[in-house]
Amino acid sequence: MSDALVQIRSLEKTYTRGSGRDAQAVHVLQGLSLQVHKGDFVALMGPSGSGKTTLLNLIAGIDRPTAGELMVDGLDITRLSESELARWRASSVGFIFQLYNLIPVLTAAENVELPLLLTKLGKRERREHVQTALSVVGLADRMGHYPRQLSGGQEQRVAIARAIVTDPLLLLADEPTGDLDKASGEEILELLSRLNREFGKTILMVTHDPHAAERAKRLVRLEKGVLVSDDVKAPASR
Amino acid sequence: MALRYLPFLRRNLLRNRRRSFLTLFSLAASIFLVVVLEGLLRHLDDMPRADGSEKRLIVRNAQNFKDPIPASFGGKIHQIPGVQGVCALFLYWGIYKDLKPEYFFPKMALDAERLRENYPETRIVDPETGAERPALFDQFVADRRGASAGINLYRKYGWKIGDRIVFRGMGLPDVEVTLRSCYDGPERSSFYFHRAYLEELMGNPGAVTFFNVICENAEDLPSVASSIDALFANSQAPTVTETEKAFQGQWVQMLGNVRFLLRAIGLACGFAMLCVSANTLAMTARERASEIAVMKTLGFTPGKVLTLLLSEVAVLCAIASAIGSGGAVAMFLFPGPWHDMGGGFLLGMRIPPDLAIAALPLGIFVGWASALWPFLRVAHAPIASTIRRTG
């Protein structure tokens, strides 16, 4: 598959719980294989403890697998050092958290600008990028607002603007509507759909919510660290 | 490139204003104490010497500083080639008003007529205006029960020319004298009266505590000192002759192991400072663990995160050091009651510029030393588990 953006083969992740004699191995992912293509919008579903978030973290390079192969855009990220991985994340991954995780002392614009500080862009260019990203999420008029002055839905939209501002290859969202009311959640899902549809962003979204999963083009189910189903939905059903 | 992070640093420094201010204040206070104590140590090492001090020697008892030497030695010393003048002094241990630190000042009975010749740097002044009044000195010399005091004592105790001053002797006769003169100069907190009067009260023992010898040339000091000590080597009271600076060092030693005490206090301050900042910064690191994990998710390397955190600490500590060190410099630059503390030992004390400047890297070093471990831990903490734990 030449257009596979994420290629996962026999991926395993094992945690050790406790220490000494009480140490216990917890196999979170067991030989999982998966491919995500450019332009995909994948919903990862499964019960708690099925390994969804762990898989997302591994793809984002914020956790390391115990075994297996994980290639993103042809690069084996399991072989990168901590610093190389950080630089790779800066350019290739946009991450959206369930609890938004904005920096409270920074304004919306400054939060969005944060990943751009790692680039070589000048001040004016950074400002333009920030304005564009906030316009895409519909918050161009909230640039000077602090997170505490925004609603939950607006905070999540700022977080999405922060995730897309560097124009990454991959958008990873960990239950992006999990902490929002229905209307705000709907807005966020619509925004993600639009990013996928209009801007061609490849999105992997972990969710518990079947309604949220409906927005995705593809539904992947995990149970006990194993992939149990992988359904590509017909365009009409989305 | 570093400039782009300045707003970020500023926002983080001000995120918890009360904590930042309290940390800043405690660091500044500690730096202030360390600088003052170190400044004091240096001051004791190198107390300001008046013009003419480079030509002066002090002759004292070789056995014990407090043991007297015969007043008759004075005439013999005067005959040694190179000696210009000799002034005998008796250190009088007496109480003014009460045995409290605020009433302590050095009191000396001396050969009054020799005072100006041996201490040419002193000026005789009006205690109220500070204007020169040389005639007052003649009144002091002429009155056997007259006294001359430094201008600081006049100001401190509200004395006036003509006031009668009484001292209760400590193992010595009580003394009652009249203020006739006031002097100003590099040293301004001593009290002088006639040795002849004290001798009379004591029954003419013919004893002095030390001689102040002024030489014709500064180059003569070593040979004159050797000649004096050789002259009395086999006498009933062998002498030690030393420069005025070395003699002042003896005074410092008389205060006990002041040096050790001051160093210990300085170290305790430094340690307290380290503990305060370590505790605060560990708390900060814990509170910001989640944010730091988010920044690492965005692509900040652990090294970059650590650099940003240590930069915040450096800015905070640099400001605290500037306040603490600047406060110490200002305190001794302008006149204040502290100059009279320590029985005149603080007179002319200044914080040396190199010490004031050294406080800056010292403060930053202490900040970094206390921040490194908690910040290193949080910068290298696994992202996934940190966000899971705090999210």
Side-chain angles (χ1 to χ4, degrees), chain A residues 28-64:
Chain A
V28 185
L29 293 177
Q30 302 180 56
L32 189 139
S33 296
L34 178 74
Q35 282 189 339
V36 178
H37 306 290
K38 283 179 182 165
D40 252 357
F41 185 175
V42 181
L44 281 172
M45 289 194 77
S48 294
S50 59
K52 310 180 295 291
T53 297
T54 300
L55 177 60
L56 200 74
N57 290 344
L58 291 174
I59 296 170
I62 59 176
D63 204 352
R64 287 182 183 276

Side-chain angles (χ1 to χ4, degrees), chain A residues 4-93:
Chain A
L5 184 63
V6 180
Q7 196 155 1
I8 298 167
R9 257 191 230 128
S10 308
L11 198 67
E12 291 186 15
K13 177 67 186 178
T14 304
Y15 290 112
T16 306
R17 188 181 290 161
S19 59
R21 284 184 181 180
D22 301 330
Q24 198 181 356
V26 181
H27 303 287
V28 185
L29 293 177
Q30 302 180 56
L32 189 139
S33 296
L34 178 74
Q35 282 189 339
V36 178
H37 306 290
K38 283 179 182 165
D40 252 357
F41 185 175
V42 181
L44 281 172
M45 289 194 77
S48 294
S50 59
K52 310 180 295 291
T53 297
T54 300
L55 177 60
L56 200 74
N57 290 344
L58 291 174
I59 296 170
I62 59 176
D63 204 352
R64 287 182 183 276
T66 311
E69 192 181 275
L70 205 173
M71 309 276 281
V72 180
D73 201 26
L75 180 71
D76 185 354
I77 63 167
T78 61
R79 294 182 186 277
L80 300 180
S81 69
E82 203 176 352
S83 295
E84 287 169 338
L85 213 45
R87 281 188 279 274
W88 172 79
R89 278 196 302 270
S91 61
S92 308
V93 177

Side-chain angles (χ1 to χ4, degrees), chain A residues 39-41 164 167-169 171 195-197 199-203:
Chain A
D40 252 357
F41 185 175
I164 62 172
D167 194 21
L169 290 169
L171 274 183
L195 288 171
N196 175 249
R197 202 171 53 239
F199 297 91
K201 290 288 165 201
T202 308
I203 301 174

